[in-house]
Structure formats: C-alpha cells, structure tokens
Amino acid sequence: MHRLLRPGLALLLLVAPGLAQDRPPTPEAHLGYRPGADFQLVAWPAVVDFFKKVDATSDRVHVQTLGESTEGRPFVVAVVSSPGTIRDLDRFKTFQRRLSHPDPANDDAADAELVGGSKPVVLITCSIHSTETASTFMAMELLHELATRDDAATREILDGAILLLVPSVNPDGVDKVKSWYDRSKGRPWEGSGMVELYHKYAGHDTNRDWFALNLQETRLLTRLLYREWFPTITYDVHQMGSTGARLFVPPFFDPINPNLDPRIHQSIAMLGAHMAADLAVAGKRGILTGALYDNWWNGGNRTTPQRHNMVGLLTEAASVRMASPIFLTPEGLGGAGRGFRDHRPAVNFPDPWPGGWWRLRDIVDYELICARSALTLAARYREHFQRQYLALSRDAIRKGRDEPPFAWVVPPDESDPARVALLVRTLHDTGIEVKRATTGFRAGGASYPAGTYVLPAAQPYRAHLKDMMERQDYPERLGADGEAEPPYDVAGWTLPLLFNVRTAAIADRLTAPLEPVEAVADPAGTAWPDAGDADYLVIPNRANSDARLRAILADDPDVRLVRSPVTIGDVTIPAGAILVPKSARRVTLRVLGTAPAVVGITPRRGRLVLPGPGALVRLRPTRIGVYQPWVPSMDEGWTRLVLENAGLVFATLHNADIRAGDLKARVDTIVLPSVSPATLSDGYAPGETEPAYTGGLGREGAEALGAFVRAGGTLVCLETSSRWAIRELGLPVTEVLGGLKSSEFYCPGSILRAEVDPRPEGEGVPLLTAGVPESVPVYFDRSLAFEVPRGGDGQVALRYAEHHPLLSGWLLGASKLQGKAALVEVPLGAGQVVLFAFPPQHRGQTHGTFRLLYNALLRGGTAPAE
Ligand SMILES: [Zn+2]
C-alpha cells in the first residue's frame, strides 16, 4: 500500500509547483525510486538537479560548482549547516584558514576565540570509484535528511558542524557506469564487463593522484581542501570485494607512516570506534576494524589530507554487482589477510554477518549511519577537534623551526627548467608554501644561485612536504613463512626521484634573502632565436617538452639527430642534440607558432665536422598507435594522458585493428601498455561481456604484430606486456624475476636506480637513451628484469644499478635484480621490439622517465643519414 501511494505523491508535487518549492523534494520523489533500490543507478544530471533543488528550497544548504570534470560535467559540493552559518560562510572559511595556518602573533585569548567561534568542517566524498555506486545515493539521502529533519540528532549536527558533501569525485564515471549497467541488465555479465575505464584516463587510479594532481577532479578538490575550506575531518566513502566483512571502518592497519602525527591516528580511531558503535546499536553486523588498509601510503583521498593535519577516514563496504543484489552463503564468506584471517568472531570483527541477500540499499544504510556518526562526533567534540587542529598546525611549524631539516632547496636546472617548475608547482598546489632566493647563497656546503626555490620546513603542511621530499624506508614485514606482506598500495613515492630533479635537504639555518612565491610559473622558454645567417640551430633535446618539437621537426628531411659528438666550427655538439640546418628553416618557421618553450636553443656558425659515418641520423615522422584492450587498463589510460600532455599525436588500436594486419600501412610505432599476458592474448572470456568485446589479440594478433615489426615497425612493450612479447614473438630475452617467491625477491611500488648501459667506443648514443642522464631513478612496482644473452641480438639500453639499487620504498632480495637489464631493444627483421621492464609513465607521475618513453615511441622515426 505504502509503495503504491508514492508515485501519486510525486505526481502531486509535479502538479503543485508552489508546494514543491517550499520543501526540498525527497530523493525518492525526485528519482521515482528509493535510493539504493535494486537494479537502479542514477545519472549525473539527476544528482546535480537534486542538489540544486535542495539548495533552492533549504536555508541549510548552499550548493557550489567547483568546476568541470575531465569530460565537462559539473563538479558540485553542497555546504550544509545551520541557516545562520550558511548565511555567513566566508566567516567560517576564515576560521578554518586561521586554524590551519595560524598567526604566530596570536595569544591564548585569540586562539580561544578562534576555536570557540568555529565549527569543525567535515568533508564527505563519494564514489571516487564509480562502480562503488552506493555512496552517491547515500549523499542524496544525507542531504535531504539534514535539510529537512528537525529532530535533536539532526539539530546537533547542524548546530555543531559544517558538512561539505561531494556526491561524486568522478561525475563522468557515474554516467559511464549507469549507462553500462543498464545495457548489461538481464545478461550473464550483469553488473560487470565494462569495456572502458570509468574515468577517461585513470579508472580506479582516480584515488592514486592526490600528491601528483594529474587529473582535473583531483585538482578541483585539492583547491577546496588546501586553498578554500581547510576541512578538519575528511571521510572518503568506498566499497570493496563482496565476500569479506560487510563494512570496514578505521582504525587502519600497520604500518603507519612516521610523518603522521599520533593525534591524527588517535582521532581516526575515535571516529572509527564511534561509527562502529553506532552501527552495532543499529543492529548492523559484519563490521571490521584495524585491518586491510594501512596508513603508510601517501596519494589517496584519505592519506594526503592526513599529512595536512586533517583527520582522514575511509570506510569500505562489501559490494553488490553495481546495483544488482547478491546472495552469499556462510561458506562463501571469508577473510582477506592483513589483520582479517577468516570470518570468525575476533576482537576487530566481533559480530560476523551470517550471509544471505546483500543489496545496494544495505550499503546505503551502513554508509548513512557512518556519515551521521562522524558528523555527530565532530559536532559533539567541536572544541576538541578545532583546538587539536590548531595545535597540529602550530606544532608542525615549531618542529620545522626547531628540528632539521630546516628547508629543502630546488636549484634551477638548465636541462629541463619546466620539469623543475612542475615539481615545485605540484607541491605548491597541494598547499605547500614556496619561497625563492633573491640572491645566490651557500647552504650545506654547496652554492645555490639566485632563483633557487626554497621549501621551508616551518609550515603547517610540513608532514606532507617532508613525506614528498624524503626517501621512504618501508618496514620489512614478513609472514611466518618468510613471504612478504604486501603494502596496501605502494611503498615509495619521493617526488624529486619521480621527477629526477636535483634537490637537497638543508640541515643549517638558512640566511639567504627569500621572497614568497604566489604562483609557480613555467619558465619562459627561449624564443626561437633570430638565426640570422647561422648555419645551424642546435636544440639540446634534454627537456621533456622537446619530444613534441622533435616530432614536429621530423617533417623536415634535413633535420638531424646527433648520435656521436660532432663539431660545428670550434664547438662540440653532444650526442642526443638535434641539428636544424639552414635548409630546414621552412619547418622552423612553422614550428615557431606551435612549439612549446625551447630550452637552450643556440644558433651556430661554421663547418660541420663528423667523426665518422653514422654520427648523424635523419628524423622521420612517426605515426604512433596505442593498443587499448577491451578489459579496461589504467596503464593504457595513463599512457594516453602522458602522450596527450606531451603533445604527441596517436591513434587508438583495438584487437580487431591489430588482428586485421597490414599495420605498417597505418602506423610506425605501436605501444602495448602494461597489461597481463592473459588479457593480451585472451581478453574477456565469452559470457564476461558483450560478444563484440570478447577475446584478445590471440595468435592472429601476435602474428600481425610480428609482421609489423619485420616490415620495419617498432613495437614498444611496457612492463608486463614485455612478458607476452618475449613469449609470442620468441624474443631472445629472459625475464628473471617472474618465478621467484616473495621470500626471495619482492619490490612493491618503489624507486630504483638504473644506469645507462655504456656503449662500445664509436657506436654513438643509443637512440633509446638520447638526452637521458647516465643515472636515472625508475619506478618498479612488482615489475620485471631481463637477461640478454651475450653476443645475441638484444641491445641493453638501461640496467638496474649493480650496487644499492633501492632509492625509496622496499626492496627484498636486491641481488636478484642488480645489474639486470631494465630496457632492451631487440632487432627483428627491418624493425625492433623495445622492452621496458618497468613502467616509464607510472600513473603519469614519473616525469624523470617520460623521456625514455618518448624516445622509444619516436625510435622508429630515424634513418641513417646519407
Ligand atoms: Zn574504492
């Protein structure tokens, strides 16, 4: 009866607009079904529309659009509190800024006024992972409850706290998942089998971007976090696998990161315990704490705020199949390791869920309790949280003032100033205070020029800065059998190593005159110089931005790449540089309007003297193809982003394109992103997705790629795809780590040192390492290492360091990898296969190795000079 009446009520609201404007609509009236109903997902416009309707009809809600998502959808946040607070939001923002960035001149009375006048700001973020669909519905219900209810519990929240509610951190994904889900209903793959990433570039890695800011969504929310609202508490709402606990709530699992203040951990525990207690009171079973999710990693939507003195939480609910309910027998329920061995009662899992139907609505109910629980505790302990927030900021500043290192310095780097600027800007955009030396100075026994960036440790976000600048030393955690316990995500992320930018920690007190930096600008590139009657323009070709320039210049048959040092007049031009002769000026004129800043371009006059044949190679245009499997690959998405950012044009190739053969007619270079050999060969099995998308490259695809290379093409294989290529193309290269147990070798998400392999005299610089420094930090995430038989065809371009290869993270069994090949080129017919053992473009973060990828992609675009 009750259900039958609902559509009538919705109709009444539609025909009585005056009434509808007085009260916010219920989510059910707005959607036509109850949020979390079986088989129903919401489209993004309906979510935004609902938020705007509530905004228009409630004086407790203010909805703000922060900007546009990657694909142009509005990215919204609702600010929710008591009407008096909503009318005065600027004042409360100012309180948060002053608590998080305290004025050293404030006395106790001023602090007390700040603490007493403010309210804890709680940021709740939903569905950053778009297949974890419940929390966007939860957000709609939470918004409605807080906008309309007048019970004491709701009043307590409104009076004591400010909620910032983001209904989705990936609006594009809300629509992508709904669209696929609706298509999949009633088919064997209902609720799974998507054939594209639910974020254009990142897929699930949307939540790996929080210190790197590669994605538009991360940038929008980061600005809200560290420039606009400075929340006290953040809560990111997730879902996990289906067969374990019903809901994980904090505290987190070991290890903990030494840069986190103990008060952050205790506050996480306090809020988590309050959530767990409220869930138990409501009769919700299957709650797990203190397991699975560690607090070591930086880069997530909970963990990066924790280094900004914010109490960062997440919960993880057991998933359904997008919106389709699932049925679980007791035998089908189990543990998952890392503090959760099995499904029996334990002190961190006191009340196992008995099994049965599990529905989207169950998740919405659990999450709603958690959200209200966090808000209630924040409101009730208002003064505690605000006073602690201020104390955390003050103590961070004091530590930076009293304990070394007192600063980090980032000197200019002539070879790639844009990369240096990007490193500093990324830190600045995550709230780090940046200064610049106005004169040259000495520190730590070294001299630094004017213009050196200085990052003082005495700042509120010291923990984040320190965590970014120093090397991670992940604690060795082994099971009783000696096997490695994997970290939750990665073990190391040192930003200067990812960028391969020289920095230094300064243990002396700096006396250099410094100016504040409000915005980190890109270095003004050298304009194309007036070449006058110069015979050559010389481009050093060491900067990341030179890749696009090289691709453009390849249109001119007269442009040359230097393989062995040459002289022009009395000047030596190093290997790796690009020569633009007078005859090629028509291209340079065209380039003028489109090229990025060119670093160090120099006009030279004189006669060109070559040391021997092969010292110069001609550039040729390179048509690039990127393979995209139908099983969505985050690595493929990141590869696209890195190429687009570099201004390199490419085509996307699917299984059918490759299997059709005759590839050399279409492209010169094909990249296989890091995809498992099984996925490359077989893709989705029949029944796992729509028939048009099942299958992989198969034998046919392998043969087509082999023919492509023999015809002169370049096949570039990233990380695990190399395993497939070695096997399918019969390459004379052995992968040496694949069969080892984690007690023998283990290296999860760490940074290792690799070295350019020395060439025999006279061979010239290898094309793969042109413009790359001799020692280069590479990312290694359970990656590969190769052996290439001596005297064989394979040429090693890069090896893991012979001694002490670990730079940051965790490496167990280093001897298994030391001196092994990390980048190899294998000739095959008229072409070549390039095998990367590691990901040179990992999550779009490894700017220090992008150049290796560009070189590999443009490798095919060279020919011996006449
Ligand atoms: Zn998630």
Side-chain angles (χ1 to χ4, degrees):
M1 199 51 155
H2 161 86
R3 289 189 59 80
L4 286 174
L5 278 175
R6 289 302 169 112
L9 183 61
L11 192 66
L12 180 70
L13 291 172
L14 281 174
V15 297
L19 185 64
Q21 274 165 18
D22 291 339
R23 298 278 298 167
T26 65
E28 184 163 353
H30 178 77
L31 296 170
Y33 56 86
R34 191 178 181 218
D38 291 348
F39 310 114
Q40 297 283 358
L41 289 182
V42 63
W44 186 244
V47 177
V48 175
D49 194 31
F50 178 76
F51 269 58
K52 289 194 168 158
K53 279 183 183 164
V54 176
D55 180 21
T57 50
S58 169
D59 55 3
R60 303 172 183 177
V61 174
H62 170 68
V63 173
Q64 197 187 334
T65 301
L66 297 181
E68 285 191 347
S69 69
T70 300
E71 297 188 59
R73 291 175 179 82
F75 190 106
V76 297
V77 56
V79 188
V80 188
S81 193
S82 60
T85 300
I86 292 296
R87 280 195 298 274
D88 209 5
L89 288 181
D90 283 343
R91 192 159 70 95
F92 286 90
K93 278 184 192 171
T94 305
F95 282 138
Q96 290 303 112
R97 189 173 62 244
R98 290 170 59 201
L99 287 165
S100 61
H101 292 72
D103 183 343
N106 270 9
D107 58 13
D108 287 354
D111 280 357
E113 199 185 317
L114 201 50
V115 168
S118 66
K119 292 179 172 187
V121 174
V122 182
L123 170 68
I124 299 184
T125 44
C126 301
S127 72
I128 189 171
H129 292 147
S130 311
T131 47
E132 302 165 10
T133 56
S135 58
T136 297
F137 286 123
M138 182 278 284
M140 295 174 79
E141 284 215 354
L142 180 64
L143 183 71
H144 183 259
E145 284 187 5
L146 296 179
T148 57
R149 283 197 189 171
D150 283 306
D151 52 87
T154 301
R155 283 270 162 220
E156 183 181 21
I157 290 171
L158 295 170
D159 290 343
I162 298 171
L163 165 64
L164 307 179
L165 182 60
V166 175
S168 179
V169 184
N170 180 18
D172 299 338
V174 171
D175 282 344
K176 284 179 200 280
V177 167
K178 175 185 167 48
S179 153
W180 179 262
Y181 177 65
D182 288 348
R183 247 165 90 169
S184 77
K185 274 191 220 172
R187 314 304 298 272
W189 52 88
E190 179 172 307
S192 65
M194 277 185 82
V195 295
E196 66 169 333
L197 293 167
Y198 56 63
H199 178 282
K200 184 177 177 186
Y201 300 110
H204 198 80
D205 277 354
T206 43
N207 200 25
R208 301 293 181 270
D209 190 44
W210 293 93
F211 64 70
L213 311 185
N214 274 310
L215 307 175
Q216 173 65 4
E217 292 76 12
T218 329
R219 290 192 286 261
L220 291 174
L221 201 59
T222 292
R223 201 168 61 208
L224 174 136
L225 279 160
Y226 313 129
R227 294 276 175 223
E228 187 185 354
W229 261 111
F230 313 97
T232 317
I233 295 167
T234 70
Y235 167 29
D236 199 35
V237 191
H238 286 260
Q239 294 170 216
M240 56 183 175
S242 303
T243 57
R246 294 304 89 194
L247 186 77
F248 165 83
V249 301
F252 297 104
F253 189 59
D254 282 324
I256 61 173
N257 187 294
N259 286 321
L260 293 191
D261 191 286
R263 287 166 288 186
I264 295 285
H265 292 293
Q266 300 297 11
S267 295
I268 289 169
M270 180 178 170
L271 281 151
H274 196 246
M275 287 176 174
D278 281 349
L279 288 157
V281 166
K284 302 297 179 194
R285 309 185 66 183
I287 308 303
L288 174 71
T289 63
L292 308 177
Y293 305 93
D294 67 47
N295 234 16
W296 171 263
W297 166 57
N298 194 349
N301 196 13
R302 67 179 158 103
T303 60
T304 306
Q306 289 166 358
R307 287 139 171 93
H308 292 73
N309 304 321
M310 299 169 186
V311 181
L313 308 161
L314 65 62
T315 61
E316 297 265 0
S319 289
V320 295
R321 289 172 72 84
M322 291 185 180
S324 301
I326 57 174
F327 188 85
L328 291 155
T329 62
E331 301 73 42
L333 294 164
R338 290 175 59 87
F340 182 41
R341 287 160 62 108
D342 54 43
H343 211 265
R344 286 178 300 192
V347 73
N348 66 338
F349 187 58
D351 186 18
W353 182 68
W357 281 102
W358 182 247
R359 300 175 184 279
L360 190 59
R361 182 65 221 182
D362 293 320
I363 307 174
V364 174
D365 285 339
Y366 276 59
E367 291 175 348
L368 204 49
I369 292 168
C370 290
R372 292 192 67 117
S373 182
L375 287 163
T376 300
L377 199 75
R380 197 169 291 162
Y381 286 86
R382 171 178 171 168
E383 193 182 325
H384 164 85
F385 282 109
Q386 296 301 79
R387 187 172 293 286
Q388 176 177 285
Y389 194 26
L390 177 65
L392 287 163
S393 308
R394 280 210 192 287
D395 291 347
I397 297 168
R398 186 171 346 173
K399 270 190 188 164
R401 202 184 53 213
D402 297 346
E403 297 172 13
F406 299 110
W408 287 265
V409 295
V410 189
D413 177 351
E414 293 311 318
S415 68
D416 197 350
R419 185 145 44 104
V420 175
L422 183 60
L423 168 91
V424 177
R425 185 159 61 239
T426 304
L427 290 166
H428 184 260
D429 287 350
T430 51
I432 298 299
E433 289 170 18
V434 175
K435 298 193 170 167
R436 189 166 37 207
T438 53
T439 64
F441 64 98
R442 281 190 67 79
S447 294
Y448 297 96
T452 294
Y453 287 109
V454 176
L455 310 165
Q459 58 174 301
Y461 298 159
R462 171 181 176 270
H464 182 66
L465 175 61
K466 189 163 173 283
D467 208 43
M468 288 283 99
M469 299 304 287
E470 69 187 13
R471 297 176 182 211
Q472 279 74 45
D473 181 14
Y474 192 87
E476 188 161 280
R477 293 173 61 88
L478 306 176
D481 52 2
E483 300 280 315
E485 178 195 81
Y488 169 65
D489 189 70
V490 296
W493 47 79
T494 311
L495 206 60
L497 294 176
L498 293 176
F499 276 70
N500 199 13
V501 162
R502 188 168 67 96
T503 63
I506 303 297
D508 317 329
R509 298 202 181 270
L510 270 187
T511 51
L514 303 176
E515 61 181 7
V517 174
E518 297 306 330
V520 183
D522 261 332
T526 326
W528 280 78
D530 178 8
D533 57 352
D535 297 300
Y536 294 92
L537 288 174
V538 181
I539 299 163
N541 191 29
R542 286 177 300 175
N544 279 352
S545 56
D546 290 344
R548 170 143 175 270
L549 187 63
R550 173 176 163 181
I552 296 170
L553 288 172
D555 277 346
D556 195 298
D558 292 344
V559 172
R560 294 287 181 273
L561 180 77
V562 178
R563 284 200 77 176
S564 302
V566 298
T567 55
I568 299 175
D570 54 1
V571 178
T572 301
I573 310 298
I578 292 174
L579 298 187
V580 183
K582 243 180 196 168
S583 55
R585 295 285 158 71
R586 60 182 181 79
V587 170
T588 63
L589 283 176
R590 190 164 61 76
V591 164
L592 277 176
T594 56
V598 183
V599 175
I601 183 167
T602 322
R604 294 281 174 214
R605 288 191 65 182
R607 206 166 73 85
L608 175 69
V609 179
L610 307 180
L616 297 179
V617 289
R618 204 180 90 198
L619 296 180
R620 284 191 305 209
T622 311
R623 299 162 301 166
I624 301 169
V626 178
Y627 172 67
Q628 183 177 68
W630 292 121
V631 178
S633 156
M634 293 178 273
D635 199 66
E636 184 272 335
W638 288 121
T639 305
R640 265 187 290 116
L641 182 74
V642 167
L643 297 197
E644 284 180 19
N645 287 347
L648 295 177
V649 178
F650 59 89
T652 289
L653 302 174
H654 291 119
N655 292 329
D657 300 310
I658 299 216
R659 286 195 303 242
D662 198 18
L663 290 161
K664 192 68 185 69
R666 273 187 79 176
V667 289
D668 303 297
T669 300
I670 295 175
V671 196
L672 300 182
S674 184
V675 175
S676 76
T679 298
L680 283 169
S681 283
D682 304 327
Y684 276 121
E688 286 182 344
T689 190
E690 294 178 8
Y693 302 109
T694 58
L697 292 170
R699 238 353 272 169
E700 217 180 338
E703 277 162 20
L705 285 171
F708 162 75
V709 176
R710 282 185 208 93
T714 302
L715 178 65
V716 179
C717 303
L718 304 186
E719 209 193 22
T720 50
S721 292
S722 298
R723 276 199 187 109
W724 180 87
I726 291 169
R727 185 185 79 196
E728 295 293 322
L729 304 180
L731 304 178
V733 173
T734 311
E735 202 277 291
V736 295
L737 302 174
L740 298 176
K741 290 195 285 187
S742 71
S743 52
E744 299 168 298
F745 176 84
Y746 194 65
C747 184
S750 300
I751 305 171
L752 304 181
R753 193 157 51 88
E755 287 158 356
V756 171
D757 204 47
R759 289 267 131 165
E761 197 71 34
E763 266 197 37
V765 63
L767 294 166
L768 291 179
T769 49
V772 174
E774 277 172 22
S775 173
V776 52
V778 302
Y779 212 75
F780 191 100
D781 192 7
R782 287 155 264 210
S783 302
L784 285 61
F786 303 126
E787 258 173 6
V788 181
R790 292 217 176 274
D793 280 343
Q795 294 173 355
V796 177
L798 209 61
R799 289 182 189 278
Y800 297 111
E802 282 281 1
H803 305 286
H804 310 296
L806 179 66
L807 294 174
S808 186
W810 183 18
L811 171 61
L812 186 158
S815 63
K816 297 282 193 285
L817 154 146
Q818 282 165 193
K820 296 289 189 287
L823 175 59
V824 173
E825 177 175 318
V826 185
L828 189 64
Q832 51 272 319
V833 182
V834 176
L835 302 174
F836 278 91
F838 60 93
Q841 77 323 3
H842 177 75
R843 294 174 177 169
Q845 296 170 357
T846 50
H847 294 263
T849 49
F850 286 176
R851 198 181 169 79
L852 291 163
L853 178 64
Y854 305 148
N855 281 350
L857 295 175
L858 301 173
R859 165 67 182 85
T862 56
E866 302 78 20

